[in-house]
Amino acid sequence: MSRRNLWSSKRDVDNLPCLQRLFLSFNNISNFESICCLADSPSLSDITFDGNPIAQEPWYKHTVLQNMLQLRQLDTRRVTEEERRMASVVAKKEEEKRRESHKQSLLKEKKRLTINNIARQWDLQHRVTNIAANQDRKNSDSPSLDPCQMDGSTTSAFPEETGSLDSVLTNALQALSVTDTHLVDVDGDTLSLYGSGALESLDRNWSIQTAGMVTTVSFTFIEFDEIVQVLPKLKMKFPNSLHLKFKETNLAMLQQFNALAQLHRVDQLTIDPQGNPVVNFTLWKYYVLFRLSHFNMQKINGTEVSLTLSHCVTKGFVFKGNGHTSGQEFK
């Protein structure tokens, strides 16, 4: 083929069994896929691609030589054994990179699916618990005081929360339990624990390097009261963990923060509003500073703690008998 013919489609090289030389210069070839069929021609020994966009790519020569082993000349220059060797080395590295990238993609997708499963299980558990609590309250109410009892007939205040739905949720929960129900993930200096089963990871024999590297520990979809029970292990296994994060941990009362006092040191505390009703209390940050004053807390929910406020809380000036506070909370 002569130059400037604008090669735009794959050719059936089987119809040219004796093809030896092929000149494809300046044919607007921009990707290897459009010429990969040429690798099937065993007689092809001389080819040119100069003047095409593909020839400007850094992988151009290595890719061509790796896929067209029969070539003796490329772009009118003889192919040396060193060039073939380098093409083989580069191709091997590229294949390893593709495999690693594929592996990481699979791990990322598995992580996503596992977290979604843990989230669904967490949601189902709480829905079942709420249904049971509502049923108990309804049964304990006097019929004369039942707001749903009208004209001698009784109507459920939660029509969708019936015994059958309770059974459906329980069955769904059991179905989810056969898949991954917890996840332990270390990413840089952060240890993330999802699901109550992840707490068992604190019994592992962590390497000194990994244990020393972790400075942030994140808890998600785990009851706070369960977390409290393993805090001594946490500090022993990860002595440099200074930042604790809680998301969907059912932290509902200010008094629950008292349990954190058993730790030796915490510089940062992050309480995600999602799944932690305690953040709805106006004074929750003050309470944390007051009860954990020995930590000299630096940040709460990403905001620096005012030194003046911290001093006032420590001295007891912020909290008054009526439960109100004075001064600004943070900078």
Side-chain angles (χ1 to χ4, degrees):
M1 176 176 288
S2 60
R3 299 185 175 204
R4 305 181 188 278
N5 278 330
L6 298 180
W7 170 288
S8 59
S9 63
K10 296 181 179 181
R11 307 291 178 169
D12 188 1
V13 296
D14 291 337
N15 294 331
L16 302 170
C18 298
L19 179 65
Q20 294 183 357
R21 307 178 70 189
L22 184 59
F23 301 98
L24 295 176
S25 304
F26 300 97
N27 272 273
N28 198 31
I29 300 171
S30 59
N31 58 76
F32 183 77
E33 285 71 21
S34 61
I35 58 173
C36 63
C37 59
L38 298 174
D40 298 328
S41 177
S43 59
L44 185 61
S45 61
D46 187 355
I47 196 168
T48 63
F49 293 115
D50 58 297
N52 290 287
I54 192 176
Q56 305 301 317
E57 299 291 345
W59 46 261
Y60 160 65
K61 178 177 289 187
H62 300 310
T63 302
V64 171
L65 294 181
Q66 180 62 24
N67 288 274
M68 300 181 184
L69 302 177
Q70 75 279 27
L71 288 184
R72 295 181 181 178
Q73 289 197 127
L74 176 61
D75 296 334
T76 70
R77 295 184 60 183
R78 185 176 67 87
V79 178
T80 66
E81 290 302 318
E82 178 63 17
E83 288 176 325
R84 293 187 191 279
R85 188 186 69 80
M86 288 301 299
S88 178
V89 171
V90 171
K92 185 176 181 180
K93 290 182 177 179
E94 289 297 324
E95 179 62 23
E96 290 175 351
K97 286 175 60 178
R98 282 193 293 269
R99 289 181 179 179
E100 181 62 23
S101 177
H102 182 62
K103 177 182 177 182
Q104 293 302 320
S105 296
L106 290 177
L107 290 175
K108 185 177 181 180
E109 179 63 11
K110 182 180 179 180
K111 175 181 176 180
R112 185 186 69 82
L113 292 175
T114 299
I115 293 176
N116 285 345
N117 181 71
I118 297 170
R120 290 196 299 270
Q121 188 177 44
W122 172 266
D123 181 60
L124 285 170
Q125 285 175 333
H126 283 79
R127 289 177 66 185
V128 169
T129 301
N130 290 337
I131 289 174
N134 291 331
Q135 188 67 36
D136 289 342
R137 284 197 297 269
K138 185 175 68 173
N139 292 339
S140 64
D141 288 340
S142 170
S144 60
L145 299 177
D146 189 350
C148 300
Q149 185 176 11
M150 297 181 295
D151 300 328
S153 62
T154 302
T155 304
S156 172
F158 304 93
E160 75 284 1
E161 296 176 352
T162 62
S164 60
L165 179 57
D166 192 355
S167 176
V168 170
L169 291 176
T170 302
N171 291 336
L173 191 60
Q174 292 174 347
L176 281 176
S177 66
V178 301
T179 59
D180 292 332
T181 57
H182 66 272
L183 176 68
V184 179
D185 181 56
V186 178
D187 185 6
D189 63 355
T190 301
L191 169 66
S192 298
L193 305 177
Y194 300 86
S196 60
L199 297 177
E200 297 177 5
S201 67
L202 297 179
D203 292 324
R204 293 181 186 174
N205 292 322
W206 293 86
S207 68
I208 296 177
Q209 181 180 3
T210 301
M213 180 176 60
V214 171
T215 60
T216 300
V217 181
S218 175
F219 301 93
T220 309
F221 303 123
I222 309 174
E223 292 287 343
F224 183 82
D225 292 341
E226 290 186 55
I227 298 172
V228 168
Q229 298 175 20
V230 301
L231 288 180
K233 292 182 181 179
L234 175 68
K235 209 58 187 178
M236 181 177 64
K237 293 286 186 176
F238 303 97
N240 297 325
S241 55
L242 303 178
H243 184 187
L244 300 183
K245 294 183 176 181
F246 300 92
K247 180 178 180 180
E248 291 283 7
T249 59
N250 202 24
L251 226 173
M253 298 181 295
L254 294 175
Q255 290 80 1
Q256 288 177 283
F257 285 115
N258 298 352
L260 297 179
Q262 63 184 295
L263 297 173
H264 298 300
R265 180 183 173 188
V266 175
D267 286 353
Q268 295 188 53
L269 193 64
T270 300
I271 311 298
D272 195 295
Q274 187 173 336
N276 293 308
V278 73
V279 300
N280 295 323
F281 290 101
T282 305
L283 308 181
W284 78 270
K285 294 178 182 177
Y286 291 98
Y287 187 89
V288 169
L289 291 175
F290 179 71
R291 287 300 181 186
L292 307 179
S293 58
H294 60 290
F295 285 160
N296 190 27
M297 194 80 67
Q298 302 299 307
K299 291 183 179 181
I300 296 182
N301 279 21
T303 303
E304 287 190 22
V305 176
S306 166
L307 294 179
T308 302
L309 175 64
S310 181
H311 178 73
C312 290
V313 170
T314 303
K315 295 298 183 180
F317 297 150
V318 171
F319 283 94
K320 297 179 180 180
N322 57 8
H324 295 294
T325 63
S326 62
Q328 293 184 341
E329 187 172 355
F330 291 102
K331 287 181 179 179

